[in-house]
């Protein structure tokens, strides 16, 4: 009951003019940041923190909440319109969002993305507001061995189930594991695959990889299509009133749960949540072939999950002081700047500000929907640009965004190399999503595996201890055997049909 009293008191502080203005400004800036390739919520909040020194704590935190929520939705705009994930969490949105735009359904895709993002953010904020202390205990149950199996499950599920050819999916995943090993070994400090280059010591930035694989290939395709006088994107159909929104309700329900759980588990993040939700939606749908070709359910699943991760990732950060993501770490820094010490004492000593911050996460999810609806008509006009202008614009934005990361021309050239690699992979029908996921999960799996073995004095038995590990091992086995079972069923049906004909 005490927490509900604090929530009630915090409402009166949140709905004041200064805090509301900061939330509106933060949400608008966040959408703009997310829509610009190469920029992210982490960068936007990091830039904002020095500007909030003179602000009241809740005013500053309200603006941060707006940037966080807005950027997560904003990343879907270039993902749908240009096939460029504005943020890492926008990877899965590309799979069905861009094909919808090519089919003349960009406006519908943006509306689905906006609605799904708002619902996911609202569910995540409610989870943070009402369930923070008990849900934090779930994350405490995960040992390093559990994290290893969780990473392995994510890799196998995406690599095997995402591609029509599991071998190509595994090749893509192995390529990602190789890329993820570049840089300094976090356990020993040794250099790996850096080739004596200072630019590679810190590893390959995920934004560089994403922009290269997902922005440059479509830009090259657009350039070639303009040379052939081919219109790259279909005429947009402004009428989407006949779309049945009710069929997305089960998608939102499942994806919200996946996003919240992914947010609670440190180091998982919205990009993995979106990929898992998209993959789960595809797996559970009888018509699996429509995914990756413009399925509205695919856009809804990805966007709902990656936004359901936002506030949920703050649960271990606020209650335990353990940031589950880069954004959470930056937000913890903002709390410390304003004299708020993360941990259980935060809920006792600064209850009104803490619960007020949680409420701003909920309010900005609604503001995001309002601002997104007003801006959707402006976003759609980008599709009216001719391909001869759109292609160089995409490449220019990509180059500027990547250079702005660390003022490095090396990363710009690296992005262009990944662009060529992405184009080759597309031509060979090798999926790029397993590569990206492997870059994210590979280091996590390696570090968790080695830490588990070190903690057990070199005994591998630790990997098979506990119910959580065995559940994840069972899921990995089921996923790996899925293609084999499918082939056996096809052969069985074929032989049965042949026998029936005879």
């Amino acid at each position: 009951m005490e927490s509900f009293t604090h929530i009630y008191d915090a409402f009166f502080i949140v709905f004041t003019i200064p805090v509301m203005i900061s939330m509106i400004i933060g949400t608008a800036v966040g959408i703009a940041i997310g829509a610009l390739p190469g920029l992210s919520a982490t960068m936007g909040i990091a830039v904002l923190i020095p500007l909030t020194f003179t602000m009241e704590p809740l005013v500053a935190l309200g603006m941060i909440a707006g940037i966080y929520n807005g950027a997560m939705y904003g990343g879907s705009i270039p993902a749908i319109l240009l096939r460029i994930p504005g943020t890492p969490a926008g990877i899965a949105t590309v799979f069905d969002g861009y094909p919808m735009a090519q089919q003349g359904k960009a406006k519908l895709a943006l509306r689905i993305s906006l609605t799904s993002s708002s619902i996911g953010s609202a569910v995540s904020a409610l989870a943070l507001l009402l369930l923070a202390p008990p849900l934090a205990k779930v994350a405490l149950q995960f040992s390093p061995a559990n994290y290893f199996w969780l990473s392995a499950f994510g890799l196998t599920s995406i690599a095997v189930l995402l591609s029509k050819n599991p071998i190509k999916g595994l090749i893509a995943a192995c390529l990602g594991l190789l890329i993820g090993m570049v840089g300094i070994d976090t356990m020993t400090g040794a250099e790996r695959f850096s080739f004596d280059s200072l630019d590679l010591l810190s590893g390959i930035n995920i934004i560089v990889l994403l922009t290269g694989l997902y922005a440059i290939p479509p830009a090259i395709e657009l350039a070639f299509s303009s040379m052939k006088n081919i219109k790259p994107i279909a005429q947009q159909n402004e009428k989407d009133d006949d779309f049945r929104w009710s069929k997305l309700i089960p998608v939102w329900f499942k994806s919200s749960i996946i996003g919240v759980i992914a947010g609670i588990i440190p180091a998982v993040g919205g990009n993995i949540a979106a990929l898992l939700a998209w993959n789960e939606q595809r797996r559970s749908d009888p018509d699996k072939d429509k995914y990756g070709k413009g399925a509205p359910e695919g856009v809804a699943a990805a966007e709902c999950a990656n936004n359901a991760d936002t506030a949920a990732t703050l649960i271990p950060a606020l209650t335990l002081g353990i940031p589950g993501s880069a954004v959470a770490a930056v937000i913890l820094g903002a709390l410390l700047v304003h004299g708020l010490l993360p941990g259980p004492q935060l809920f006792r000593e600064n209850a009104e500000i803490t619960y007020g911050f949680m409420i701003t996460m909920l309010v900005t999810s609604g503001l995001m929907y309002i601002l997104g609806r007003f801006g959707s008509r402006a976003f759609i006009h980008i599709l009216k640009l001719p391909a001869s202008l759109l292609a160089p614009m995409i490449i220019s934005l990509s180059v500027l965004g990547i250079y702005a990361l660390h003022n490095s021309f090396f990363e710009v050239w690296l992005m262009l190399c990944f662009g060529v690699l992405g184009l080759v992979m597309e031509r060979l029908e090798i999926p790029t999503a397993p590569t990206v996921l492997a870059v994210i999960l590979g280091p996590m799996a390696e570090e968790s595996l080695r830490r588990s073995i070190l903690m057990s004095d070199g005994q591998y038995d630790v990997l098979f201890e506990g119910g959580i590990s065995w559940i994840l091992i069972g899921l990995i086995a089921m996923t790996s055997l899925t293609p084999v079972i499918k082939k056996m069923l096809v052969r069985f049906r074929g032989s049965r049909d042949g026998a029936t004909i005879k």
Side-chain angles (χ1 to χ4, degrees):
M1 289 298 294
E2 184 180 357
S3 61
F4 287 102
T5 302
H6 292 312
I7 293 172
Y8 178 78
D9 294 336
F11 262 105
F12 292 98
I13 304 175
V14 170
F15 291 100
T16 57
I17 293 177
V19 178
M20 288 299 298
I21 291 175
S22 72
M23 287 191 292
I24 294 171
I25 293 173
T27 305
V29 170
I31 293 174
I33 288 173
L36 291 173
L39 303 186
S40 65
T42 308
M43 183 186 299
I45 295 171
V47 171
L48 174 71
I49 289 175
L51 305 178
T52 65
F53 288 147
T54 57
M55 295 182 183
E56 291 293 324
L58 197 54
V59 174
L61 292 174
M63 190 173 292
I64 287 172
I67 290 177
Y68 192 8
N69 276 332
M72 294 300 285
Y73 158 66
S76 69
I77 297 170
I80 291 170
L81 300 182
L82 303 174
R83 201 183 170 219
I84 306 174
T87 59
I91 304 167
T93 308
V94 172
F95 299 158
D96 287 292
Y98 185 70
M100 285 186 70
Q102 290 183 307
Q103 297 165 13
K105 301 176 182 177
K107 182 182 177 183
L108 176 60
L110 288 171
R111 284 187 62 187
I112 292 173
S113 169
L114 176 60
T115 306
S116 303
S117 297
S118 299
I119 291 172
S121 296
V123 171
S124 185
L126 288 172
L128 172 65
L129 190 61
L130 303 176
L131 306 173
L135 285 179
K137 296 179 182 178
V138 176
L140 288 175
Q141 301 299 317
F142 274 74
S143 65
N146 298 149
Y147 280 119
F148 166 71
W149 290 118
L150 180 66
S151 304
F153 171 61
L155 282 170
T156 53
S157 62
I158 298 299
V160 173
L161 300 179
L162 186 64
S163 175
K164 292 182 179 179
N165 187 336
I167 301 299
K168 290 184 177 181
L170 291 172
I171 290 172
C174 290
L175 176 62
L177 290 174
L178 183 64
I179 295 171
M181 291 178 68
V182 175
I184 295 177
D185 182 358
T186 55
M187 300 292 288
T188 64
E191 295 181 19
R192 301 190 302 190
F193 302 107
S194 61
F195 305 103
D196 296 325
S197 171
L198 293 176
D199 296 293
L200 290 175
L201 284 180
S202 57
I204 294 174
N205 192 293
I206 187 66
I207 299 292
V208 175
L209 177 67
L210 281 176
T211 307
L213 289 181
Y214 287 96
I216 303 303
I220 295 174
E221 295 288 354
L222 279 173
F224 280 115
S225 67
S226 66
M227 292 170 60
K228 298 175 184 177
N229 295 319
I230 300 173
K231 190 175 180 62
I233 301 176
Q235 183 66 35
Q236 296 303 303
N237 179 15
E238 295 294 325
K239 295 181 180 180
D240 52 23
D241 297 332
D242 58 341
F243 181 73
R244 192 160 54 87
W245 288 86
S246 59
K247 69 179 181 179
L248 297 181
I249 294 175
V251 181
W252 291 329
F253 181 78
K254 285 191 299 184
S255 302
S256 296
I257 294 174
I258 292 172
V260 169
I261 293 174
I264 296 168
I265 301 172
V268 176
N271 40 13
I272 298 175
L275 287 166
L276 289 175
W278 184 88
N279 190 61
E280 170 58 26
Q281 178 58 32
R282 178 178 178 271
R283 185 199 63 79
S284 61
D285 197 315
D287 185 11
K288 294 178 176 58
D289 293 336
K290 68 180 180 181
Y291 290 91
K293 301 175 183 177
E297 296 88 347
V299 177
E303 281 302 302
C304 188
N306 70 39
N307 281 269
D309 165 84
T310 52
T313 196
L314 296 174
I315 292 174
L318 295 181
T319 57
L320 304 173
I322 301 173
S325 64
V327 182
V330 173
I331 291 176
L332 285 189
L335 291 172
L336 293 171
V337 163
H338 290 277
L340 305 172
L341 188 64
Q345 69 276 9
L346 189 66
F347 293 82
R348 297 193 303 266
E349 299 172 6
N350 305 99
E352 288 187 355
I353 295 176
T354 304
Y355 283 101
F357 175 46
M358 296 177 181
I359 294 171
T360 61
M361 291 294 292
L362 179 61
V363 175
T364 50
S365 67
L367 291 174
M368 176 175 67
Y369 182 81
I370 296 171
L371 294 176
R373 284 302 300 268
F374 279 112
S376 61
R377 289 187 177 275
F379 301 146
I380 205 73
H381 288 306
I382 195 168
L383 296 178
K384 298 179 180 179
L385 292 172
S388 57
L389 290 178
L390 201 53
M393 282 179 61
I394 293 173
I395 295 176
S396 299
L397 281 173
S398 301
V399 169
L400 287 173
I402 294 303
Y403 182 76
L405 286 174
H406 304 113
N407 296 332
S408 170
F409 279 111
F410 177 83
E411 290 188 334
V412 172
W413 286 111
L414 193 60
M415 173 203 68
L416 295 174
C417 290
F418 281 129
V420 174
L421 176 64
L423 189 62
V424 172
M425 291 175 72
E426 283 191 0
R427 295 294 170 88
L428 296 176
E429 296 185 351
I430 297 175
T432 53
T435 302
V436 175
L437 188 64
V439 172
I440 298 168
L441 287 181
M444 174 179 164
E446 181 193 7
E447 185 177 343
S448 300
L449 174 63
R450 293 167 67 182
R451 183 173 293 154
S452 298
I453 296 171
L454 284 173
M455 291 171 62
S456 61
D457 294 327
Q459 300 297 317
Y460 286 85
D461 296 346
V462 68
L463 297 175
F464 304 95
E465 294 177 356
I468 296 176
S469 289
W470 280 108
I471 291 172
L472 291 170
I473 290 170
L475 291 172
I476 292 170
M478 289 173 58
T479 302
S480 302
L481 292 173
T482 298
V484 178
I485 295 171
K486 283 183 178 178
K487 285 186 178 180
M488 291 176 62
L489 288 173
V490 169
R491 288 179 181 176
F492 174 75
R493 288 171 182 168
S495 60
R496 188 180 62 179
D497 293 342
T500 303
I501 293 172
K502 290 179 182 179

